[in-house]
Amino acid sequence: MSLESPESNEETLTHNVEFELNGSPERHCVPTSATVLDLLRNSCGKQGVRASCERSVCGACTVLVDDLPVAACSTFAFDVDGARVETVEGLAAQDGTLSAQQQAFRECGGFQCGFCTSGMLMLTTALLRQNPQPEREQIREWVSSNTCRCTGYEMILESVERAAELAGAKQQDQVSE
Amino acid sequence: MRGQKLGAGLIAQSQSALPPFILHRPTSLGEAVALTRQHPEAVIAAGCSDLVAQFREGLEPEVLVSVQRITELRAISNNSGVLSIGSGVSHAEGSRSPEIVSTVPALAAAWGSIATVRIRYRGTLGGNLLSRRYRYEMPVILSALGGQMQFHGGDITALPVSSLWERDSLWDRSLGNVGILTAVTVDTASLLWFGYERSMRPVSTVSLAVRKNPVAGLTVSAVCGSEYRQPFVLSHAAEATDITELDPVSVGQVLAAQLPDEAGDYAGSIDYRRHLVGVLCGRLLAEATGNQRKG
Amino acid sequence: MTGFVNPRTPDDEPIVGRDRPRLDSTMKVTGRAVYTVDIEKPGMLHAKVLRSPYAHARILSIDASAARSLAGVTAVVTREEIIGLHSYGTYVKDQPIVATESVRYVGDVVAAVAAVDERTAFAALDLIRVEYEQLPAVFDVRAAMEPSAPAIFPDQPFAAYPEYGDGASGAAHTAHNVSYEFRYETGEESVWADCDYIFEDTFTFSRMNHMHLEPFATVAEATANEIEVWTSTQSPFPMRKELARVFGLPENDIRVNVPLLGGGFGAKNGPKTEAIAIRLSQLSAGRPVRYCMSTEEVFLTLSQHDAILTVKSGLKADGEFMARQSRVLLNGGAYADASPLVAEKAGYRMPGAYRWKRIDSVCQAVITNSVPAGAYRGFGATQATWASERQVDLIAERLGFDPLELRLKNTKELGEEFVPGETPIDSDLKHGLILVADAIGYRDRTRLSNRGMGVAIGIKDGGGVNKPAQARVKVTTNGDVFLNCALVEMGQGGHSALCQIVAETLGCDPKRVRYAAIDTDNTPFDQGTNASSGIAVMGHAVRQAAERVKCSVLDTAAEHLMLDRQSIRLDDWTIVDAEGTTYELPPLIMERFGGTGFEFTADGYYKARSASSAPLEAPCIFWEIGWAAAEVEVDPETGRVELLQLVVSGDAGKVVNKLGCRGQDEGAAVFGLAQALFEELRYDDGELLNGEALLYRVPLAEDIPRRFSSITQEQGHGAGPFGTKGMGEGGMLPIAPAIAQAIADATGAQLTSLPMTPERVYNGIRAARVRHGGADGNA
């Protein structure tokens, strides 16, 4: 039995992480102790991923790992090896067209200082993937995972509802096309 | 924050500055146990939500053993009156597990109510218990259920969840002697009722279980959780033969009276906490006995 | 119906972009917004600090030699490295860059290190030896004022404070461990003799952290002669001035750049990370140094003021308010920071929204061995409103008045002066009270057991004092517009609102207006982004600059086209003459100025007039009002309060951006809701127990009542451009008192301390039963 994991090297204390980021392959050699936050902000230049409490409470750093919302500050980079990672930078279309979530937060004022917004958008993305038509109570439960100090939340809850509506309409359009 | 190494002050440590560690990602329990023997000071990592907080408090592992890939730790089974829940089971998985939902539905519901949606996907049973943080809820929930932590690879095989805060227990020993927490088992054969009340969190949470004693009578076990104090286990043996014979109010008071003075803290004095725990125990018992409390 | 006056509604057209998303929305929903924490410079070093483990101790020695010689460390700052540099503070200059002779609270900075990476910086901090001699510490304001309490500043630090106007006075170091004292009085003392009832009550107010999600952060590039910082501050120019003072440099050798702020709420005024980053950079041969605090450190840097407020009010038998005396003690923590200003405002705002014949207020900021307290959304008015409004409800109960009726009887009228020399009240206060009361169904409710309702009003003088504001508007040949001014965007939507004012003036789409990056070399002067002043103060300067640009464009066009200047107008960068003929501007400009084109530029300026008859040097710009109504259900067995309904309302005067106004009121209300029910910094004998994100409970979506709404009024009396008023703080003021009264209405429990925890509510219910039981027994 080998005690060595194949991907890490006891000599170098580094780890090769291969993953899919917003649909594109990434490969980085990072210290074993690197978090997903370090990986995304420093190695991949995704500065839309925000660091705040850094102990998985506030959710400002929420990204999706295999469709699930995860605090990037409290997840090791080695844990996303082979995973699909999504950040706020991946939401808009190539041509800059905003996603339903982004449009909804814009038009419902679901942001103020913007520091929680990336995380809130990713949380919304995960929720709508699990349930495209969530009820207010489920939205409350999900949004309660992240902290926003500015809005007082009501406008975020409305943004999520609107995102579901817009996404539904988009789906409808695609079907009719 | 952590203390400075020479005692000269406080330092706001961040996980971004953590020195790299030797990383092991075993895929089997046997492999993991061998690693803990080889590296008795290694840190075991599962979901890492709390581990990162510990880094900020000064923990600096040289060797880290990630147990994420060990599928054995994610098993849930229910055999001959014993529910066994793997330590690597996440809150989301546990609260939706058909075995748990069908055996102790209130446990599944309680488990599904803790933390946040995000943490529920990452956080594991083992992490929630072994972090030994007062405000985490699985120790409160599982202590009332008489949960037993099952270890593998060390000189201990099982310890009650309620022993998490005992002094001089395994917590001062190195991993090599302790081994790996593999599962928590709950005896469901004698369990008559279980409920968890967290609406007063973080002032006080209460979990409560009623069991049939082997020979005669019932045992009511309640655990009071709070923010700044360890969970306290309260217990009452009743001569009743049926749960409906219990008087919710008086049993609630008997249980609450057992709270020691040190259960009072900055978020609630001991007088208030005894009163509150009495009320919450009474309400849980009223539910147990089917006497819905009056509006 | 009560005889309230219908407010005048603004009859002119809505401001362009009123109903559209904020202009900063796209960058924020795409993650492209840039904050100070995102600033990176080549060769950037990282700073970390060592903080005091003791609440009060003398520093006997510091040995940082091992840290200095660690590979990768470029500089260490201890008291040795700041000799000759000045301390900082708003009025009282008492805070050194790092501790000198003593440390004054747990978390006080003792030493700082710059290194090639954070890991090396931490390793270096671990090598610093400090010998302390512990001193007695004091945490409670009353205990700190006892002569036997340790003197936290044995030598009185330098202090400068304003000349006040009629009735007001201020002074530093007026009592043992008091950093600043403000007094205000008006009316005759003899009014007390005419009172039929006099009540005195004491209230306590808890302390919160700002918990802005973006921590304090600075990147500094500095030599002995030149300083440049990128920093998360609400006040770029006061920062430049303070840094010039601390480092002894001319202001034109200091450049302050301010990216977007990830929240401020008052915390980001005055130096936090700046001076340490600068000093480290100076000692690292000018290499850029980044000092970004962790959330745990933010908790140890600044907080709100907790307070003890004693209020004595006299009334006539019919409920007419006569005289009010208040004595307020603010816990200012270890350093004065903005405490003098908060003391001034807390004292001044004690009369609340009501008419009194005699006012006598004293507010003292007390120094204790706790985290410094400073500016915090609401700024003294939150403390004052808690005590003022709570006492109105206590009095209503004692005298058997309906709390809303008692308020309506004594509330000032629109146009009535707040105190002599002050700006007249510019909102119909009663209209707002009735509006929120009716929104929750206060007046025609059916009484249900354990349910209750409360209504409250908060008022603060808005717009700040001595706030000169300047702005510049530039328009390119093609009609692309730059707005250049120093209002910092910290979430409030100020950039968007000001760009809309420019667009409205120039007759263009707001999307054509870009808010230029803020740096103190190039941005026109401003006193700071505070006191809800963005629209009402800076808005004037911006509008004037835009008007002047428009004039200059029209002048040029009239001359060039040989048209009557008065007959032409500007519309979407096109000149329209009296007949409706249009003339494209770009070709005209190219013709007039040559191939490279031109930029039309103009400056605007605004400052409210000072007046010695105004107590605070100048009449306030506007009155910022918050109205709220709440309904609760209380579990009498546990004391748990469920907020069933919360309605908050502010008066925007005139709305510039609908979503922006709504967001300000709702966000402020939720700060108030949290303070009312659970959010607080908890201490055990001076030790902060919950200075960390998990233990420090801020409101989450689940804490918001299912029926939560805001009503943005447009009463149209604002002194800002187009009749606008400032927003952002008013909504916080009335929330806790409204909830408190709802609890009292539901259960009889009259609470006087925040937060209203289940235990306090439960004990309050028991006390009420004893009180009422006693009364019944006597009957």
Side-chain angles (χ1 to χ4, degrees):
Chain A
M1 181 182 72
S2 164
L3 296 182
E4 287 281 279
S5 304
E7 322 77 341
S8 72
N9 182 325
E10 224 170 294
E11 301 302 312
T12 60
L13 301 169
T14 57
H15 191 89
N16 287 318
V17 186
E18 279 183 65
F19 63 108
E20 188 190 300
L21 177 58
N22 299 331
S24 306
E26 293 272 346
R27 186 169 203 276
H28 295 275
C29 182
V30 295
T32 48
S33 57
T35 61
V36 173
L37 183 71
D38 301 328
L39 177 70
L40 294 175
R41 273 186 74 91
N42 305 336
S43 308
C44 306
K46 300 299 179 201
Q47 296 220 322
V49 184
R50 309 282 173 207
S52 181
C53 80
E54 296 188 79
R55 80 178 287 339
S56 73
V57 176
C58 75
C61 65
T62 302
V63 298
L64 303 193
V65 175
D66 292 334
D67 297 318
L68 297 180
V70 159
C73 71
S74 302
T75 307
F76 281 116
F78 65 72
D79 264 341
V80 300
D81 206 1
R84 250 182 328 109
V85 178
E86 293 165 80
T87 68
V88 70
E89 286 87 351
L91 290 181
Q94 290 284 325
D95 67 356
T97 306
L98 299 181
S99 69
Q101 307 88 294
Q102 290 173 310
Q103 281 179 44
F105 274 68
R106 249 191 105 231
E107 73 179 60
C108 299
F111 71 92
Q112 284 182 29
C113 82
F115 215 77
C116 77
T117 312
S118 304
M120 285 289 184
L121 285 165
M122 299 320 289
L123 198 62
T124 305
T125 306
L127 168 60
L128 296 184
R129 246 174 232 174
Q130 289 192 13
N131 182 1
Q133 287 168 310
E135 296 289 323
R136 183 46 94 104
E137 281 308 304
Q138 194 184 9
I139 296 173
R140 264 171 82 98
E141 186 189 6
W142 275 67
V143 173
S144 294
S145 296
N146 286 13
T147 303
C148 166
R149 193 57 158 165
C150 298
T151 59
Y153 297 108
E154 183 66 28
M155 293 165 88
I156 291 182
L157 301 178
E158 289 174 14
S159 299
V160 179
E161 284 173 335
R162 177 72 181 140
E165 220 175 271
L166 286 172
K170 222 174 253 182
Q171 208 102 50
Q172 211 64 46
D173 286 353
Q174 278 162 3
V175 170
S176 55
E177 276 164 24
Chain B
M1 304 281 277
R2 66 169 171 89
Q4 191 241 26
K5 287 181 181 160
L6 302 174
L10 303 171
I11 291 176
Q13 183 70 45
S14 148
Q15 61 269 36
S16 300
L18 192 69
F21 37 71
I22 296 164
L23 171 66
H24 293 287
R25 305 173 78 198
T27 52
S28 72
L29 188 55
E31 210 184 321
V33 167
L35 282 164
T36 59
R37 289 201 180 129
Q38 194 188 335
H39 305 286
E41 303 310 317
V43 167
I44 306 275
C48 297
S49 304
D50 190 81
L51 193 58
V52 164
Q54 294 175 44
F55 296 152
R56 295 175 80 78
E57 292 157 0
L59 177 69
E60 237 180 57
E62 280 175 26
V63 179
L64 189 126
V65 178
S66 167
V67 296
Q68 282 270 344
R69 294 176 165 189
I70 305 176
T71 44
E72 290 145 277
L73 298 181
R74 300 171 79 158
I76 301 173
S77 67
N78 180 29
N79 292 320
S80 43
V82 177
L83 179 64
S84 171
I85 309 165
S87 61
V89 172
S90 73
H91 306 323
E93 290 161 350
S95 59
R96 291 170 198 166
S97 146
E99 285 84 359
I100 301 175
V101 172
S102 60
T103 324
V104 192
L107 167 60
W111 200 351
S113 68
I114 70 166
T116 63
V117 171
R118 236 179 332 95
I119 301 281
R120 284 176 212 153
Y121 287 120
R122 283 299 293 177
T124 62
L125 172 61
N128 196 282
L129 296 177
L130 296 185
S131 302
R132 301 173 70 223
R133 298 225 189 234
Y134 295 158
R135 59 176 284 135
Y136 289 3
E137 293 175 76
M138 290 312 280
V140 178
I141 292 169
L142 288 168
S143 292
L145 281 167
Q148 294 283 324
M149 297 183 286
Q150 307 295 329
F151 293 87
H152 182 73
D155 51 15
I156 296 161
T157 52
L159 274 178
V161 174
S162 58
S163 71
L164 276 168
W165 281 276
E166 273 172 23
R167 284 172 208 280
D168 307 319
S169 61
L170 74 167
W171 315 114
D172 303 320
R173 299 196 241 175
S174 73
L175 260 187
N177 297 331
V178 174
I180 289 180
L181 173 68
T182 56
V184 172
T185 53
V186 173
D187 166 18
T188 55
S190 64
L191 184 67
L192 296 177
W193 193 85
F194 171 74
Y196 182 53
E197 166 61 59
R198 70 191 298 275
S199 67
M200 295 300 290
R201 198 174 175 273
V203 181
S204 280
T205 54
V206 173
S207 65
L208 185 142
V210 185
R211 284 183 187 276
K212 213 178 175 60
N213 291 342
V215 182
L218 304 175
T219 300
V220 182
S221 305
V223 179
C224 163
S226 71
E227 200 162 10
Y228 300 102
R229 294 289 183 262
Q230 66 170 74
F232 293 99
V233 180
L234 318 168
S235 177
H236 172 68
E239 283 175 16
T241 52
D242 190 278
I243 202 165
T244 54
E245 294 165 30
L246 295 172
D247 173 35
V249 173
S250 64
V251 175
Q253 281 165 358
V254 166
L255 289 166
Q258 296 168 26
L259 269 182
D261 285 354
E262 60 262 35
D265 67 27
Y266 325 96
S269 67
I270 183 60
D271 287 346
Y272 174 68
R273 190 151 279 155
R274 282 199 189 109
H275 163 77
L276 178 64
V277 169
V279 169
L280 297 181
C281 285
R283 286 181 183 177
L284 285 166
L285 281 165
E287 230 176 284
T289 56
N291 304 332
Q292 288 305 311
R293 61 175 180 271
K294 287 166 193 141
Chain C
M1 281 294 288
T2 43
F4 69 90
V5 184
N6 266 320
R8 182 172 65 85
T9 45
D11 46 11
D12 44 350
E13 293 288 299
I15 290 167
V16 61
R18 177 192 192 268
D19 300 325
R20 294 195 345 214
R22 284 165 47 164
L23 294 165
D24 54 352
S25 54
T26 302
M27 68 171 154
K28 285 178 175 172
V29 301
T30 52
R32 288 204 306 270
V34 174
Y35 305 84
T36 300
V37 292
D38 300 321
I39 304 291
E40 275 189 62
K41 298 280 161 191
M44 190 166 80
L45 303 165
H46 297 268
K48 292 290 168 189
V49 305
L50 177 66
R51 293 173 180 274
S52 169
Y54 302 117
H56 198 195
R58 187 169 293 123
I59 300 175
L60 300 178
S61 69
I62 303 178
D63 177 1
S65 52
R68 284 178 220 284
S69 52
L70 185 70
V73 172
T74 56
V76 177
V77 170
T78 67
R79 57 188 180 177
E80 296 297 316
E81 284 73 28
I82 62 160
I83 292 170
L85 303 182
H86 292 278
S87 296
Y88 54 84
T90 310
Y91 288 177
V92 182
K93 308 288 183 187
D94 61 358
Q95 192 160 6
I97 299 173
V98 293
T100 52
E101 25 349 297
S102 63
V103 286
R104 297 184 173 88
Y105 72 97
V106 173
D108 211 351
V109 178
V110 177
V113 165
V116 290
D117 55 33
E118 296 191 1
R119 193 178 307 146
T120 309
F122 284 126
L125 290 178
D126 275 320
L127 298 171
I128 297 174
R129 291 184 183 279
V130 186
E131 269 188 287
Y132 299 94
E133 178 198 341
Q134 280 200 70
L135 298 171
V138 64
F139 309 106
D140 175 79
V141 286
R142 284 179 174 144
M145 291 175 73
E146 293 289 328
S148 58
I152 298 170
F153 284 92
D155 306 314
Q156 293 181 349
F158 171 79
Y161 38 91
E163 296 267 324
Y164 292 104
D166 291 355
S169 63
H173 319 302
T174 54
H176 190 57
N177 284 326
V178 167
S179 62
Y180 193 76
E181 176 176 314
F182 174 81
R183 287 174 174 268
Y184 177 72
E185 62 177 310
T186 187
E188 297 301 321
E189 180 70 20
S190 58
V191 173
W192 289 104
D194 301 332
C195 298
D196 295 318
Y197 297 102
I198 295 174
F199 298 103
E200 183 175 304
D201 299 285
T202 295
F203 305 90
T204 59
F205 185 88
S206 52
R207 185 197 288 217
M208 304 199 293
N209 181 258
H210 302 74
M211 193 77 185
H212 36 78
L213 288 186
E214 182 209 25
F216 297 117
T218 299
V219 175
E221 259 180 31
T223 62
N225 307 316
E226 239 176 331
I227 292 173
E228 178 157 22
V229 292
W230 290 260
T231 195
S232 189
T233 184
Q234 296 178 217
S235 301
F237 286 93
M239 178 61 69
R240 184 181 73 180
K241 183 164 183 260
E242 191 81 315
L243 294 176
R245 187 183 178 280
V246 169
F247 290 95
L249 288 176
E251 287 184 68
N252 59 358
D253 285 335
I254 297 173
R255 183 189 297 156
V256 178
N257 301 276
V258 184
L260 294 172
L261 264 60
F265 316 114
K268 292 174 176 174
N269 282 293
K272 299 290 179 298
T273 37
E274 292 83 357
I276 285 172
I278 290 167
R279 190 66 191 130
L280 286 167
S281 177
Q282 288 179 326
L283 297 172
S284 304
R287 279 177 73 175
V289 172
R290 176 182 197 257
Y291 177 26
C292 176
M293 285 193 199
S294 73
T295 298
E296 294 91 331
E297 289 183 283
V298 169
F299 278 102
L300 294 179
T301 302
L302 199 74
S303 74
Q304 191 187 31
H305 288 83
D306 59 84
I308 300 174
L309 309 98
T310 300
V311 193
K312 188 169 92 173
S313 299
L315 297 84
K316 288 298 236 184
D318 67 353
E320 183 191 356
F321 291 176
M322 297 290 285
R324 173 170 273 186
Q325 182 194 68
S326 60
R327 297 290 178 262
V328 179
L329 299 176
L330 297 177
N331 183 354
Y335 295 101
D337 197 276
S339 282
L341 279 155
V342 177
E344 183 182 299
K345 298 298 192 183
Y348 191 59
R349 293 163 178 168
M350 280 308 297
Y354 309 106
R355 195 177 299 120
W356 306 95
K357 294 186 167 67
R358 163 73 183 169
I359 295 163
D360 165 16
S361 308
V362 180
C363 181
Q364 293 170 311
V366 183
I367 309 165
T368 65
N369 294 110
S370 60
V371 173
Y376 195 112
R377 190 177 212 168
F379 208 88
T382 331
Q383 289 87 342
T385 306
W386 168 244
S388 168
E389 285 293 273
R390 202 72 275 275
Q391 203 198 23
V392 171
D393 288 321
L394 291 180
I395 291 171
E397 188 198 45
R398 288 169 191 150
L399 299 182
F401 292 113
D402 174 81
L404 177 61
E405 291 304 323
L406 185 62
R407 281 178 171 81
L408 292 171
K409 180 180 177 66
N410 291 287
T411 302
K412 284 189 186 287
E413 299 292 339
L414 176 66
E416 196 173 336
E417 67 184 359
F418 175 72
V419 293
E422 223 352 317
T423 302
I425 300 292
D426 56 1
S427 286
D428 185 330
L429 305 179
K430 293 176 189 174
H431 171 74
L433 275 170
I434 290 163
L435 191 68
V436 293
D438 287 351
I440 65 161
Y442 181 95
R443 292 192 293 181
D444 47 5
R445 71 196 133 135
T446 323
R447 288 234 156 235
L448 296 167
S449 79
N450 300 320
R451 279 204 190 187
M453 290 184 177
V455 178
I457 180 171
I459 178 167
K460 75 187 280 273
D461 44 311
V465 173
N466 283 331
K467 278 187 69 74
Q470 288 177 268
R472 182 169 302 139
V473 172
K474 309 197 296 175
V475 193
T476 70
T477 306
N478 291 325
D480 302 319
V481 188
F482 289 95
L483 170 59
N484 205 215
C485 65
L487 180 107
V488 172
E489 178 58 58
M490 47 192 182
Q492 82 280 38
H495 282 189
S496 183
L498 293 177
C499 287
Q500 286 174 245
I501 288 178
V502 173
E504 176 71 25
T505 311
L506 296 180
C508 69
D509 190 301
K511 280 185 180 157
R512 294 204 76 172
V513 187
R514 167 178 285 273
Y515 197 99
I518 298 171
D519 85 71
T520 50
D521 278 12
N522 296 295
T523 307
F525 182 84
D526 174 47
Q527 187 269 355
T529 308
N530 48 44
S532 305
S533 63
I535 283 294
V537 177
M538 181 57 85
H540 277 298
V542 166
R543 189 186 186 190
Q544 187 183 63
E547 284 288 354
R548 286 178 174 168
V549 161
K550 185 170 83 178
C551 277
S552 149
V553 172
L554 290 173
D555 287 348
T556 305
E559 190 190 315
H560 196 81
L561 298 168
M562 289 182 288
L563 291 167
D564 171 26
R565 167 69 174 81
Q566 298 313 315
S567 72
I568 60 171
R569 62 188 174 85
L570 181 65
D571 180 27
D572 198 16
W573 210 235
T574 302
I575 298 295
V576 186
D577 69 14
E579 283 76 47
T581 314
T582 57
Y583 307 86
E584 295 287 324
L585 271 167
L588 187 155
I589 294 166
M590 298 291 272
E591 233 177 276
R592 170 81 171 73
F593 295 97
T596 49
F598 184 65
E599 255 186 21
F600 288 89
T601 304
D603 285 2
Y605 164 74
Y606 181 76
K607 183 183 178 298
R609 235 173 354 94
S610 296
S612 65
S613 59
L616 302 184
E617 291 186 277
C620 71
I621 310 289
F622 66 94
W623 291 100
E624 187 169 358
I625 320 295
W627 295 269
E631 182 182 20
V632 301
E633 179 160 7
V634 181
D635 177 343
E637 273 192 302
T638 63
R640 182 170 182 269
V641 175
E642 191 190 349
L643 194 50
L644 300 173
Q645 291 197 71
L646 182 66
V647 173
V648 62
S649 182
D651 175 15
K654 182 179 171 72
V655 168
V656 177
N657 187 285
K658 222 171 165 176
L659 291 170
C661 289
R662 183 183 162 198
Q664 284 301 290
D665 269 343
E666 293 186 3
V670 171
F671 264 78
L673 179 164
Q675 184 137 37
L677 295 175
F678 52 81
E679 185 178 334
E680 64 169 337
L681 292 167
R682 287 204 186 112
Y683 290 88
D684 179 30
D685 197 24
E687 184 200 346
L688 178 59
L689 296 169
N690 58 347
E692 180 263 308
L694 182 64
L695 295 175
Y696 185 75
R697 185 175 168 212
V698 295
L700 296 172
E702 66 195 13
D703 296 310
I704 307 310
R706 283 171 178 77
R707 293 174 70 188
F708 171 46
S709 61
S710 61
I711 304 168
T712 309
Q713 299 178 53
E714 288 188 273
Q715 292 197 8
H717 316 294
F722 311 103
T724 52
K725 298 174 77 169
M727 305 279 286
E729 298 184 87
M732 180 165 176
L733 312 182
I735 306 297
I739 294 173
Q741 176 51 24
I743 293 169
D745 191 44
T747 65
Q750 292 285 9
L751 302 192
T752 53
S753 296
L754 289 173
M756 294 177 277
T757 59
E759 180 170 10
R760 285 188 173 135
V761 174
Y762 173 71
N763 289 338
I765 293 169
R766 289 204 301 179
R769 281 189 188 141
V770 170
R771 211 163 59 227
H772 296 141
D776 291 343
N778 291 338

